[in-house]
Amino acid sequence: GAVVSQHPSRVICKSGTSVKIECRSLDFQATTMFWYRQFPKQSLMLMATSNEGSKATYEQGVEKDKFLINHASLTLSTLTVTSAHPEDSSFYICSAEIGRSTSTDTQYFGPGTRLTVL
Amino acid sequence: QQPVQSPQAVILREGEDAVINCSSSKALYSVHWYRQKHGEAPVFLMILLKGGEQKGHEKISASFNEKKQQSSLYLTASQLSYSGTYFCGTANNNAGNMLTFGGGTRLMVKP
């Protein structure tokens, strides 16, 4: 199956600092990647859709200046949480799709990044 | 709008069966099922497409009733490894691959 990696797996940072999370598709090219946020015992909430070579599309209520997304290549997307605060602490998961961006293609998820902001 | 999953939680003995439902208030084009274990990423199980298909993978199968705008996941003769939270992700059209996930169903299989 398709493999998606995320780095780092865990990060603890001080309030006010920025944190970058990388999402890589290891054995396939991903035109589209997705970034999710998940709170304990809750569902996956889509934050943004990241398209290679273009600006990300953010979901309503997600601050694009706070959650910077860059999809510089077909195998790498990054999410930078700028000026992180304790309320940004969460489990961030990326996913990548194989295919032609239709709903018949599924998403493969990375292992997630646990962010804790002190 | 988020699809509704039921039940929210279920506890089974090893070998018992379970059904998890996913209902949408909008017309569905496809339904994607995932299983997530605690602290890990969701793992893809299967996709069902518009057309009312059924699919199976070993003792886990699913159906998609587009008229009722719902999908059901069937777990037969459950194993300890089936424990986890099951999510359905739905797509309302064929334009793009954005999925909206249900609230999840926590399944615990006990020996």
Side-chain angles (χ1 to χ4, degrees):
Chain A
V3 179
V4 177
S5 71
Q6 266 185 257
H7 178 80
S9 57
R10 287 179 179 272
V11 57
I12 300 173
C13 68
K14 291 183 179 180
S15 187
T17 60
S18 294
V19 174
K20 181 185 280 189
I21 302 170
E22 293 186 347
C23 176
R24 292 181 185 272
S25 56
L26 298 185
D27 51 0
F28 66 99
Q29 292 184 329
T31 306
T32 304
M33 291 183 173
F34 302 88
W35 287 96
Y36 295 86
R37 186 172 178 175
Q38 187 178 36
F39 291 105
K41 297 186 179 180
Q42 293 190 25
S43 188
L44 298 152
M45 299 304 296
L46 180 66
M47 297 175 67
T49 303
S50 169
N51 294 295
E52 187 267 336
S54 63
K55 289 184 179 180
T57 304
Y58 290 82
E59 294 302 298
Q60 195 171 14
V62 178
E63 299 175 60
K64 60 181 180 181
D65 294 330
K66 180 168 184 63
F67 298 100
L68 300 178
I69 291 172
N70 184 280
H71 195 153
S73 75
L74 287 171
T75 59
L76 174 65
S77 175
T78 60
L79 168 68
T80 301
V81 183
T82 62
S83 187
H85 287 96
E87 58 265 30
D88 297 325
S89 298
S90 190
F91 192 49
Y92 293 87
I93 311 177
C94 71
S95 71
E97 65 166 16
I98 300 175
R100 296 170 292 111
S101 292
T102 71
S103 67
T104 58
D105 304 311
T106 197
Q107 298 177 25
Y108 293 90
F109 286 85
T113 296
R114 174 82 52 197
L115 171 64
T116 303
V117 185
L118 302 175
Chain B
Q1 195 169 1
Q2 189 179 36
V4 177
Q5 285 185 236
S6 63
Q8 289 186 317
V10 59
I11 300 174
L12 299 173
R13 290 283 179 193
E14 203 172 1
E16 292 181 339
D17 302 339
V19 180
I20 300 172
N21 299 303
C22 174
S23 297
S24 174
S25 59
K26 294 184 177 181
L28 296 175
Y29 188 88
S30 65
V31 180
H32 306 229
W33 284 98
Y34 293 85
R35 176 173 60 214
Q36 184 181 30
K37 293 189 180 283
H38 181 69
E40 299 179 9
V43 173
F44 169 70
L45 294 176
M46 64 187 80
I47 302 177
L48 296 105
L49 304 178
K50 183 178 177 180
E53 67 172 348
Q54 289 189 312
K55 275 193 175 180
H57 176 67
E58 296 183 345
K59 293 179 180 176
I60 300 176
S61 61
S63 63
F64 178 20
N65 187 322
E66 57 187 288
K67 281 187 179 179
K68 292 185 178 179
Q69 297 172 181
Q70 69 180 38
S71 175
S72 296
L73 186 71
Y74 305 95
L75 303 165
T76 307
S78 58
Q79 304 169 16
L80 296 176
S81 61
Y82 287 3
S83 294
T85 301
Y86 289 78
F87 291 101
C88 66
T90 58
N92 300 113
N93 55 59
N94 194 30
N97 196 20
M98 193 185 86
L99 297 177
T100 304
F101 286 88
T105 295
R106 285 195 297 282
L107 178 78
M108 181 183 295
V109 181
K110 293 187 173 181

